[in-house]
């Protein structure tokens, strides 16, 4: 077993992982440790990470002196976020992100992010659903793409070659691209000791040991068949946390995005509505007013929190009801409503929404300047995740911090989003929490000393290496075995989640979903991995990803069954009311297999700490 | 990973050039059902799911933005996710790995070589550009204008520094001990840059690192080490950004290297192949002109 050492391991090369890696380096540099190595382990090249697909923007209050709305304030950003969170957001986590958001967005500007600008040369902000003021910074409608490339290119500047591995010469970011992390490693004291990964290039496992690990593996919404998420968004880190005995919080809270292309699930950003786009039913009527989102706003004058700028969950719910009322257009992929952008005109469309125009033309064959675009909802964002404090320190089932383990970005549940994420709050979360987690991970390494992280430090390393070997053997033994193709199980899982764990849920549907997911998990034990190649074995990789999605689906369904109320993104037809006491669901691996869920009242600071 | 075309749908003939590490390439042909929305990527997925699970290719976003899925289709480099098979129903399709890159397995080609070339041209913001900075004045002082301008020059270096990982930063305490306060909003500093100044580099900033331009570039047949279109386009993206001061550094790397900008004979294949309208040929032409003192 190849063993390499680092000062911090970051799992994931999206915005959260890159932010964490860069912040860890800064912290090390400030402590005079210019030789520190941050291992950045990612199953895809970092610039392919799913952050690249984010379109609309990132929220942060812009001070009036930089052209912001004089009426806006941090307090209002906090209030909007708490309102969206419907009782499950934690004020401390919300404040933490909101207060730091403008600074992170400005820092990114200083790293070269091509933010869209006002005529005066200051960052431009746009309206976004659920935000009471325009405070969403954007780079046309390719915000995530530019953000990811800005961070990745900055990380390239601090790149250290693999040749330096463990020799303690130059410090920096050491990339492990196309390395799939299989599991977390622990030392005998149950402290985090690193990760075991599979090097897809060389076709061999390796252990990357470090005193601190940051999980930044993203969400899990690819498990749904109709999804805006990229193929890699399979909840691997969430499944790893479950296997490590850690709880996942509020996993039933899955945001469904209302405006996606039928079939492919390709997302047309909410910014299309922020810029004035409207939603029409099959008869060309603005139906949202009929489903509680009115009164209707005039065309071309969008107003915060009303009609097309209402919260995402409400707009997706209105779609469900309009569909039931026979007001949608039939398509081969289910009913659709129309996103009408024609009145914006070609100039605004090409300046502010070039990607939307390109996607509609390319993938739906429609020019939005001339015709409205059929859209329908798709699974989009994982609000729940690994339980952390506001700075990304991972908490165990007793709300005690797990020494050395951090999580940031979509895989973490810090308490920011609660029951419903406001669009454009998540990119900024990746930056703020990614930074805090990276800094604290570095601090952890600095105070815990070289300890078990360095070569020749004895028993810790040996135990972790043994553990890594055993885990790698287990995962690798899936190759060349089994009878049922992963594709069959994957499709069935997607269908079940779409059908019964979507916009509205009820006891019967959830019971069916649970039975189906259990059945699929049992069948997964005999999943067929036909490809036995060592390197670039994507058949095996997809089987691993399917395993993670099944584990996550179990937690989602169990959480949804336990939550017998309607709140935020979780709407129960059989329990339309909202409980007086807001409670979190906490899913953990059950001793006999599967997951168990417990409910826990929300406290002001979120945890029992 | 979108759903499969229905049974009984018409099929298209898809030939895939496959290769195991250390072995010779071989062609395999599959009959793949399709609809008018089936992309080349969908077709590959269908083969992997239904016929041969060992077929190996990269993909992720399915919306032409992550840059993973570049392949040669009938000899032309394209993104598999945005190329639809219906256009080839009569001719059939041959899908191969991107040209001018080492094949790692089937349709997966080496990416490290490209990233090394990109990195050799310092594709990040080098402090020292001419853009002024603006910071928000403290609450109660005069609004944007006088203050910000007065600060601009002094601010430029500080800002550039704060942006760099090595620099001092209000956010990061020197000691390893945790919580640090949040600086007030009045410490917020950004460069000022007009929409016109953004337009100057916007085109070059659209590069998704898909390497299609490398596959298209005939120069790479003769000069395999050519730093290549996308790397130069990205270098120019930074050179033309008013916030950046790295022109001299990058020009040295591009012009004082036989495999830098000089091998390019302005054939324009890169620009024609680029799915994002980046126009690397223009970037190279500009760089050559500047290097020649024009
Ligand atoms: C279409 C779309 C549009 C969006 N638009 C917006 C928007 O406008 N504003 C906004 O705020 N948010 C938006 N979001 C949400 C936002 O983009 C994501 O929440 C955010 O980018 C997640 O970043 P991340 O760094 O946590 O994860 P990701 O970017 O998903 O990165 C995850 C990383 O983890 C790695 N990884 C995963 N598993 C493993 C493993 N087993 N081994 C090794 N590495 C692994 C991957 O390789 C990847 O590098 C959008 C999301 C989508 C889907
Ligand atoms: S310049 Fe165009 S073709 Fe070349 S890598 Fe960039 S996006 Fe791809
Ligand atoms: S799959 Fe991302 S570009 Fe094609």
């Amino acid at each position: 077993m190849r063993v390499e050492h680092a000062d911090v391991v970051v799992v994931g090369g999206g915005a959260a992982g890159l932010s964490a890696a860069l912040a860890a380096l800064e912290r090390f540099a400030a402590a005079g440790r210019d030789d520190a190595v941050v291992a950045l382990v990612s199953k895809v090249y970092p610039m392919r990470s799913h952050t690249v697909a984010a379109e609309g923007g990132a929220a942060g209050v812009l001070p009036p002196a930089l052209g912001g709305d004089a009426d806006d304030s941090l307090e209002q950003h906090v209030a909007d976020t708490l309102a969206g969170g419907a009782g499950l957001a934690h004020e401390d986590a919300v404040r933490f992100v909101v207060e730091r958001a403008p600074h992170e967005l400005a820092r990114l500007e200083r790293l070269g992010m091509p933010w869209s600008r006002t005529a005066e040369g200051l960052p431009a902000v746009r309206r976004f659903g659920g935000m009471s003021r325009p405070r969403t910074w954007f780079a046309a409608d390719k915000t995530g793409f530019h953000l990811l490339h800005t961070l990745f290119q900055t990380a390239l500047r601090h790149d250290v070659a693999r040749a330096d591995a463990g020799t303690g010469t130059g410090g920096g970011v050491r990339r492990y691209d196309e390395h799939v992390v299989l599991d977390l490693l622990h030392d005998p004291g149950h402290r985090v000791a690193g990760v075991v990964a599979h090097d897809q290039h060389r076709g061999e496992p390796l252990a990357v040991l470090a005193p601190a690990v940051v999980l930044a593996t993203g969400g899990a919404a690819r498990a749904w068949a109709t999804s805006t998420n990229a193929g890699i968004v399979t909840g691997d880190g969430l499944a790893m946390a479950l296997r490590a005995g850690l709880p996942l919080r509020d996993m039933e809270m899955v945001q469904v995005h209302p405006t996606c292309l039928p079939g492919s699930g390709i997302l047309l950003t909410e910014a299309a509505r922020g810029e004035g786009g409207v939603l029409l039913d099959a008869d060309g009527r603005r139906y949202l007013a009929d489903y509680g989102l009115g009164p209707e706003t005039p065309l071309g004058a969008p107003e915060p929190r009303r009609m097309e700028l209402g919260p995402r969950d409400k707009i997706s719910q209105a779609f469900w009801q309009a569909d039931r009322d026979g007001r949608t257009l039939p398509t081969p992929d289910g009913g659709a409503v129309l996103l009408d952008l024609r009145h914006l005109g070609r100039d605004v469309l090409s300046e502010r929404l070039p990607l939307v125009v390109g996607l509609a033309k390319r993938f739906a064959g429609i020019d939005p300047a001339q015709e409205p675009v059929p859209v329908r909802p798709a699974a989009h964002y994982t609000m729940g995740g690994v339980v952390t404090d506001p700075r990304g320190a991972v908490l165990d089932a007793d709300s005690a911090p797990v020494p050395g383990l951090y999580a940031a970005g979509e895989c973490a549940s810090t308490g920011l989003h609660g029951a419903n994420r406001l669009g454009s709050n998540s990119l900024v979360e990746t930056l703020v929490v990614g930074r805090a987690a990276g800094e604290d991970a570095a601090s952890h390494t600095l105070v815990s000393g070289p300890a078990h992280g360095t070569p020749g430090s004895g028993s810790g390393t040996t135990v972790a290496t043994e553990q890594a070997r055993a885990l790698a053997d287990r995962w690798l033994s899936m190759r060349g075995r089994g009878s049922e193709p992963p594709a069959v199980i994957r499709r069935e899982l997607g269908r079940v989640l779409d059908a019964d764990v979507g916009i509205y849920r009820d006891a019967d549907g959830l019971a069916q979903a649970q039975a189906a997911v259990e059945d699929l998990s049992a069948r997964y034990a005999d999943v067929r991995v036909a490809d036995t190649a060592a390197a670039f074995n994507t058949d095996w990789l997809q089987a691993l990803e399917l395993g993670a999605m099944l584990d996550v689906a179990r937690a989602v369904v169990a959480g949804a069954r336990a939550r017998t109320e309607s709140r935020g993104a979780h709407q129960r037809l059989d329990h339309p009311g909202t409980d007086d006491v807001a409670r979190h669901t906490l899913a953990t691996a059950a001793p006999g297999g599967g997951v168990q869920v417990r409910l826990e009242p929300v406290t002001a600071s979120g945890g029992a700490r | 990973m979108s759903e499969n075309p229905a049974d009984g749908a018409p099929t298209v003939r898809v030939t895939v050039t496959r290769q195991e590490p250390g072995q010779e390439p071989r062609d395999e042909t599959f009959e793949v059902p399709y609809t008018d929305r089936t992309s080349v990527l969908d077709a590959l997925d269908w083969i992997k799911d239904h016929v041969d699970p060992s077929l190996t290719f990269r993909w992720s976003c399915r919306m032409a933005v992550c840059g993973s899925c570049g392949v040669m289709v009938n000899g032309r480099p394209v993104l598999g996710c945005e190329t639809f098979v219906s256009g080839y129903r009569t001719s059939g399709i041959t899908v191969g790995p991107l040209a001018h890159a080492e094949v790692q397995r089937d349709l997966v080609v080496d990416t490290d070589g490209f990233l090394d070339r990109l990195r050799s041209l310092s594709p990040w913001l080098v402090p020292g550009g001419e853009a002024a900075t603006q910071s928000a004045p403290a609450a109660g002082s005069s609004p944007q204008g006088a203050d910000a301008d007065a600060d601009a020059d002094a601010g430029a270096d500080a800002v550039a520094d704060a942006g760099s990982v090595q620099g001092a930063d209000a956010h990061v305490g020197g000691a390893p001990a945790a919580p640090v306060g949040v600086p007030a909003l009045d410490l917020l500093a950004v460069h000022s840059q007009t929409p016109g100044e953004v337009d100057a580099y916007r085109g070059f900033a659209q590069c998704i690192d898909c390497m299609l331009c490398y596959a298209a570039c005939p120069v790479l047949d003769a000069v395999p080490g050519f730093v290549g279109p996308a790397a130069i386009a990205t270098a120019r993206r930074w050179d033309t950004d008013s916030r950046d001061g790295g022109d001299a550094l990058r020009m040295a790397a591009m012009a004082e290297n036989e495999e830098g900008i000089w091998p390019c004979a302005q054939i324009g294949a890169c620009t024609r192949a680029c799915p994002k309208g980046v126009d690397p040929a223009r970037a190279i032409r500009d760089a050559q002109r500047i290097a020649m003192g024009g």
Side-chain angles (χ1 to χ4, degrees):
Chain A
M1 167 76 82
R2 191 149 54 97
V3 178
E4 295 188 4
H5 297 269
D7 292 282
V8 165
V9 173
V10 176
V11 185
L18 288 166
S19 299
L22 291 170
L25 277 191
E26 279 181 39
R27 173 57 59 91
F28 282 124
R33 281 284 318 277
D34 290 330
D35 60 337
V37 169
V38 176
L40 185 74
V41 193
S42 175
K43 67 180 174 179
V44 295
Y45 282 87
M47 73 285 188
R48 315 287 190 219
S49 299
H50 186 54
T51 295
V52 80
E55 300 174 12
V61 173
L62 189 65
L66 293 183
D69 180 341
D71 292 340
D72 200 7
S73 65
L74 297 175
E75 285 311 316
Q76 288 183 76
H77 191 181
V78 169
D80 291 346
T81 305
L82 285 172
L88 295 186
H90 302 165
E91 193 171 334
D92 60 349
V94 174
R95 281 190 186 282
F96 186 81
V97 170
V98 165
E99 287 172 357
R100 286 160 180 77
H103 296 278
E104 286 309 316
L105 300 176
R107 178 202 305 274
L108 216 57
E109 193 286 327
R110 302 195 298 271
L111 293 174
M113 172 82 182
W115 293 117
S116 290
R117 304 280 178 155
T118 62
E120 293 75 46
L122 294 165
V125 285
R126 63 167 38 135
R127 292 195 178 283
F128 236 68
M131 299 282 182
S132 57
R133 305 277 167 199
R135 62 168 80 98
T136 296
W137 304 37
F138 59 99
D141 54 359
K142 299 181 179 176
T143 309
F145 162 74
H146 288 300
L147 193 150
L148 184 68
H149 281 249
T150 302
L151 288 170
F152 176 59
Q153 293 182 356
T154 303
L156 277 181
R157 175 180 175 187
H158 300 281
D159 204 86
V160 285
R162 292 291 295 285
D164 293 342
T167 57
T169 50
V173 176
R174 194 196 299 142
R175 295 194 339 260
Y176 293 78
D177 297 334
E178 299 194 314
H179 282 59
V180 190
V181 172
L182 303 172
D183 260 313
L184 296 166
L185 299 174
H186 302 272
D187 74 2
H190 289 287
R191 288 178 309 178
V192 168
V195 298
V196 54
H198 189 263
D199 177 343
Q200 290 286 79
H201 291 205
R202 293 208 219 170
E204 63 183 31
L206 89 160
V208 188
L209 303 186
V213 173
V214 181
L215 277 178
T217 51
R222 189 68 231 176
W224 280 254
T226 310
S227 169
T228 66
N229 284 201
I232 58 172
V233 190
T234 50
D236 303 10
L238 301 171
M240 282 176 223
L242 271 181
R243 288 196 293 271
L246 298 168
L248 300 183
R249 182 163 66 196
D250 297 333
M251 287 302 295
E252 66 283 3
M253 296 299 177
V254 176
Q255 183 171 87
V256 175
H257 197 289
T259 57
C260 310
L261 297 180
S264 66
I266 290 174
L267 177 142
L268 301 183
T269 173
E270 180 171 311
R273 286 170 280 131
E275 298 292 344
V278 295
L279 288 169
L280 307 176
D281 69 7
D283 296 330
R285 298 209 358 245
R286 287 176 69 191
Y287 63 96
L288 294 177
D290 301 340
Y291 301 103
L293 283 149
E296 187 167 317
T297 50
L299 195 65
E303 268 183 46
R305 291 185 289 197
R306 273 170 52 194
M307 294 298 286
E308 283 82 5
L309 286 188
R312 281 185 189 172
D313 54 340
K314 293 282 184 319
I315 296 179
S316 290
Q317 287 154 22
F319 169 88
W320 187 93
Q321 293 175 20
D323 196 39
R324 186 201 50 190
D325 295 347
R327 297 176 66 175
T328 59
L329 284 170
T331 79
D333 300 293
V337 290
L338 294 165
L339 176 62
D340 191 354
L341 301 171
R342 290 173 297 181
H343 52 284
L344 298 182
R346 240 177 236 294
D347 289 349
V348 171
L349 286 175
S350 66
E351 198 210 313
R352 293 268 171 129
L353 301 167
L355 183 63
V356 165
V357 172
L359 291 172
K361 283 187 179 165
R362 218 7 155 179
F363 293 97
I366 288 175
D367 177 0
Q370 296 195 332
E371 263 183 277
V373 190
V375 292
R376 60 174 278 120
H380 180 51
Y381 187 86
T382 311
M383 260 87 68
V386 180
V387 187
T388 73
D389 74 3
R391 297 185 64 88
V394 172
L395 307 179
D396 68 14
D398 302 320
S399 296
V402 180
L405 187 60
Y406 304 84
E410 196 167 334
C411 70
S413 167
T414 67
L416 172 66
H417 305 303
N420 200 11
R421 168 191 77 121
L422 297 192
S424 76
N425 263 351
S426 46
L427 281 179
V428 83
E429 173 189 30
T430 65
L431 303 174
V432 173
V433 184
R435 160 161 298 274
E439 288 174 4
D440 291 357
S443 295
H444 180 84
T445 295
L446 288 167
V447 298
S448 67
H452 40 96
T454 47
S457 63
S459 71
T461 297
T462 319
V463 172
T465 310
E466 278 316 310
Q467 204 185 13
R469 193 182 325 249
L471 286 164
D473 283 350
R474 209 184 93 217
W475 293 112
L476 285 164
S477 73
M478 291 169 71
R479 293 176 174 178
R481 268 200 353 209
S483 60
E484 188 166 20
V488 175
I489 302 177
R490 190 179 65 228
R491 262 197 302 277
E492 184 61 12
L493 175 66
R495 195 196 58 73
V496 166
L497 294 178
D498 273 6
D500 291 320
V501 201
I503 297 170
Y504 282 101
R505 301 143 181 202
D506 63 23
D508 288 349
L510 290 172
Q512 272 179 44
Q514 189 187 30
V517 172
E518 286 312 318
D519 173 55
L520 292 171
S521 299
R523 282 154 60 184
Y524 179 76
D526 187 39
V527 70
R528 173 159 177 70
V529 181
D531 190 354
T532 55
F536 293 99
N537 187 333
T538 52
D539 186 28
W540 176 64
L541 174 57
Q542 289 190 358
L544 295 182
E545 292 174 331
L546 174 60
M549 288 192 288
L550 283 165
D551 288 348
V552 170
R554 282 172 146 170
V556 171
V557 174
R561 293 191 78 188
R563 189 176 288 285
T564 48
E565 62 162 350
S566 291
R567 184 186 294 277
H570 175 74
Q571 295 293 316
R572 294 270 307 239
L573 291 168
D574 51 348
H575 295 281
T578 304
D579 292 350
D580 294 341
V581 179
R583 290 179 301 174
H584 289 300
T585 63
L586 285 173
T588 45
V595 296
Q596 60 198 13
V597 169
R598 109 173 170 252
L599 289 159
E600 195 175 80
V602 178
T603 59
S605 69
R609 305 170 69 209
Chain B
M1 222 193 286
S2 61
E3 82 288 18
N4 303 299
D7 287 341
T11 62
V12 59
R13 204 176 63 251
V14 180
T15 301
V16 186
T17 307
R18 307 191 56 180
Q19 188 171 0
E20 290 295 325
Q23 292 177 23
E24 287 301 301
R26 63 185 197 282
D27 281 352
E28 285 182 15
T29 299
F30 307 87
E31 284 293 327
V32 180
Y34 74 97
T35 69
D36 59 358
R37 289 212 331 261
T38 305
S39 66
V40 169
L41 177 62
D42 292 332
L44 295 172
D45 241 336
W46 187 90
I47 297 168
K48 189 171 183 70
D49 284 357
H50 293 86
V51 188
D52 187 347
S54 71
L55 182 65
T56 304
F57 49 94
R58 289 192 181 107
W59 64 282
S60 184
C61 69
R62 311 160 297 130
M63 52 190 277
V65 67
C66 75
S68 303
C69 67
V71 286
M72 307 297 283
V73 168
N74 294 0
R76 246 173 20 100
V78 296
L79 296 177
C81 68
E82 64 162 8
T83 304
F84 296 89
V85 302
S86 54
Y88 302 86
R89 74 189 134 240
T90 43
S91 59
I93 307 183
T94 300
V95 186
L98 285 181
H100 302 135
E102 190 196 329
V103 176
Q104 290 173 310
R105 191 181 184 201
D106 291 348
L107 303 173
V108 172
V109 298
D110 175 62
T111 305
D112 293 334
F114 163 66
L115 286 180
D116 289 346
R117 290 172 210 212
L118 182 66
R119 184 163 187 276
S120 74
L121 300 184
S122 307
W124 46 76
L125 188 140
V126 175
E130 56 207 34
T133 59
Q134 302 222 329
S135 32
S141 68
S142 71
Q144 171 205 332
D147 291 37
D149 285 345
D151 280 353
D153 276 348
D157 288 341
V159 156
D161 244 23
S164 94
V165 166
Q166 311 297 9
D169 194 309
H171 231 148
V172 186
V180 230
V182 195
L185 280 187
D186 57 20
L187 287 175
L188 215 63
V190 295
H191 298 89
S192 100
Q193 190 168 57
T194 62
E197 287 169 331
V198 175
D199 283 344
Y201 65 87
R202 176 145 87 150
F204 293 148
Q206 305 300 317
C207 174
I208 61 172
D209 296 344
C210 65
M211 308 191 295
L212 299 194
C213 51
Y214 286 72
C217 175
V219 170
L220 282 152
D221 289 331
V223 190
F226 176 36
V227 68
I232 296 171
T234 302
R236 294 298 300 157
R237 172 253 177 271
W238 289 106
D239 286 352
T240 51
D241 186 325
S242 59
R243 300 168 292 184
D244 177 85
D247 312 32
L249 180 79
R250 289 186 207 98
M251 275 317 283
M254 290 192 283
E256 291 164 22
N257 172 359
E258 280 177 13
E259 298 184 329
I261 46 182
W262 305 118
C264 173
Q266 283 298 324
I267 295 155
C270 50
T271 293
R272 287 192 295 278
C274 178
K276 296 288 141 186
V278 173
D279 201 355
R282 177 165 75 88
I284 305 175
R285 194 162 57 237
D286 291 351
Q288 288 176 337
R289 195 177 25 91
I290 295 166
M292 289 190 297

